[in-house]
Amino acid sequence: MENACTNLNQVARAVRLLKIDGFSLTAGMGGDYCLKSIWTVDGYELEVLIYPGTTWVALKLVFLSEARTQWGVRASMACQLVDLSRELEPYHEYGVSETFYHPQDFGALVFMDRNKIPSGYIKDDMLTLRCAITVLKELPAPTIPAEEVITQPSTNLHQHLGELLQSEMGADVTFLVSYESFAAHKYILAARSPVFKAQFFGDMKEKCSARVEIKDMEVAAFRAMLHFIYTDTVPELDRPLEEVTTLAQHLLVAADMYGLERLKLICEIKLCDGITVDTAATTLALAEQHNCSKLKAKCVEFIVSTPAVLEAVLATDGYKHLEASCPLVLTELLARTFFSLLLRVLFRQRANLVFVLMPYPGI
């Protein structure tokens, strides 16, 4: 008789090491102070909140999504202390499990008395927790197998339009960019860009023109923008960021100029991933001028991250450009710098600060 094994359910699991640096400084921070970590498991977004400031180190697992079924989502979180040097074995596992239905549903876990945490697990004032989140996956509904399954083919519209651009067949407008010409189709351009729509089918002078000169734009940026209009892709940005930073900056300007919001967001995301000392100020000026709030916030966060980084950025030519082109953003940068330095001073001196409430005369 042959033995058979059937898997009746499936789970998705994610494991992370969560490090609390400066653990001693979190003592007495109060019950509202918490550290946050966002997770994605089986397509669901969850958040782990760690409350280290009270007598007990506590954790909370918060559900940030909407359950895909009426029965909710069964999820659990397990947590234990670990020693990164591996001199000590992981210390006692604590866990909590809940069924989640809607955003902000949560399960709470009281981890342990912070005063009873073995000192061996605190290295260089850093406490490390290994957390695992497990989600019970929904089983697919049973289906009756068919003799032949016909799958829907993937779209190839972008490929055909890209070939049309390359072949120049039926092109009715030519762009001249720095003495290089590009043939295109007015109807496709108008369908993708509100600026081109107004330019060719509104009251602008290029309405009947078959030749348009583009000024103040790099050839590489215009070529990439034109390819995106036809194919909705930007293969030029698939290379490492250090090779395409300048192109991404120019392409963001072009996208903003022609109302291509998706291309603008693609460039913004690409630039957010690789901000350096050499590019931070230039990119910040770009973000300010073209209303890229996420990119602006990332640049400011990087510049004020440490005094050394701030000093290095201030010495770049990009900062001189920022100072000349966007003087108003310097006020915000100065405020963030002062606030960041103030926080560092407060945390360093926290152990020595004593607050005394003096009685007011006459009371």
Side-chain angles (χ1 to χ4, degrees):
M1 180 177 180
E2 184 178 352
N3 293 327
C5 179
T6 302
N7 191 7
L8 298 179
N9 66 322
Q10 297 178 0
V11 298
R13 182 178 291 107
V15 181
R16 289 185 188 176
L17 294 179
L18 302 181
K19 302 175 182 178
I20 306 176
D21 200 2
F23 180 67
S24 64
L25 297 177
T26 64
M29 292 291 287
D32 294 332
Y33 175 75
C34 68
L35 306 172
K36 302 179 180 181
S37 175
I38 300 292
W39 300 51
T40 300
V41 185
D42 191 32
Y44 290 111
E45 193 171 65
L46 303 103
E47 184 175 45
V48 175
L49 305 180
I50 304 176
Y51 297 84
T54 59
T55 304
W56 290 84
V57 177
L59 291 90
K60 183 188 290 185
L61 180 63
V62 183
F63 190 62
L64 302 180
S65 302
E66 193 76 34
R68 294 190 286 260
T69 69
Q70 61 179 331
W71 300 284
V73 182
R74 190 66 179 173
S76 67
M77 176 176 64
C79 219
Q80 60 184 161
L81 297 176
V82 293
D83 174 20
L84 294 181
S85 66
R86 299 186 178 180
E87 297 175 1
L88 301 175
E89 292 294 324
Y91 185 81
H92 194 72
E93 184 173 275
Y94 300 80
V96 63
S97 61
E98 292 287 342
T99 299
F100 302 106
Y101 297 91
H102 308 291
Q104 301 309 315
D105 288 350
F106 68 90
L109 167 65
V110 176
F111 191 61
M112 65 184 306
D113 188 336
R114 64 176 291 144
N115 296 320
K116 295 183 179 180
I117 296 176
S119 59
Y121 291 92
I122 304 176
K123 299 293 180 65
D124 298 324
D125 203 20
M126 177 186 293
L127 182 70
T128 303
L129 307 177
R130 180 168 64 195
C131 288
I133 296 179
T134 304
V135 173
L136 183 63
K137 302 178 69 172
E138 304 94 354
L139 293 178
T143 58
I144 300 175
E147 293 182 1
E148 182 180 0
V149 177
I150 301 176
T151 59
Q152 181 177 345
S154 58
T155 179
N156 57 0
L157 176 62
H158 65 286
Q159 179 182 347
H160 290 166
L161 291 179
E163 292 171 354
L164 179 65
L165 173 65
Q166 187 175 8
S167 70
E168 302 183 2
M169 182 178 63
D172 55 358
V173 63
T174 299
F175 293 95
L176 184 63
V177 186
S178 298
Y179 304 104
E180 187 168 341
S181 60
F182 298 86
H185 306 78
K186 291 182 180 179
Y187 281 107
I188 293 178
L189 298 175
R192 297 280 281 160
S193 163
V195 176
F196 279 131
K197 182 178 180 179
Q199 186 174 352
F200 295 129
F201 299 100
D203 298 327
M204 300 176 70
K205 65 180 182 179
E206 289 87 356
K207 182 176 181 180
C208 299
S209 176
R211 190 174 183 85
V212 178
E213 184 178 359
I214 303 293
K215 300 178 181 180
D216 301 325
M217 186 179 296
E218 296 289 333
V219 171
F222 185 83
R223 181 185 293 109
M225 182 185 75
L226 198 59
H227 186 273
F228 173 83
I229 288 175
Y230 279 75
T231 67
D232 211 41
T233 62
V234 197
E236 294 87 348
L237 296 184
D238 291 339
R239 302 195 303 273
L241 183 60
E242 60 269 15
E243 299 178 14
V244 296
T245 297
T246 302
L247 175 60
Q249 292 174 339
H250 291 169
L251 197 51
L252 186 148
V253 175
D256 191 38
M257 181 185 305
Y258 286 97
L260 302 169
E261 292 301 323
R262 184 170 183 272
L263 177 59
K264 180 180 175 182
L265 183 58
I266 290 173
C267 295
E268 187 176 359
I269 293 172
K270 186 72 174 180
L271 291 170
C272 280
D273 290 339
I275 299 170
T276 66
V277 167
D278 294 329
T279 64
T282 304
T283 304
L284 177 56
L286 197 69
E288 175 71 10
Q289 293 165 349
H290 297 278
N291 195 28
C292 301
S293 57
K294 294 181 180 179
L295 181 58
K296 177 181 176 180
K298 282 283 188 180
C299 290
V300 172
E301 180 183 352
F302 173 83
I303 292 172
V304 303
S305 58
T306 67
V309 170
L310 176 61
E311 183 177 358
V313 171
L314 294 181
T316 63
D317 292 335
Y319 180 78
K320 297 176 183 177
H321 169 70
L322 174 67
E323 193 174 23
S325 60
C326 305
L328 293 180
V329 81
L330 297 182
T331 303
E332 180 180 348
L333 188 61
L334 180 62
R336 285 289 302 272
T337 302
F338 175 77
F339 182 70
S340 179
L341 292 174
L342 180 62
L343 284 179
R344 290 192 185 96
V345 171
L346 289 177
F347 273 107
R348 288 174 182 172
Q349 301 298 327
R350 181 177 177 81
N352 300 322
L353 289 178
V354 177
F355 295 91
V356 179
L357 181 63
M358 299 297 294
Y360 189 80
I363 296 181

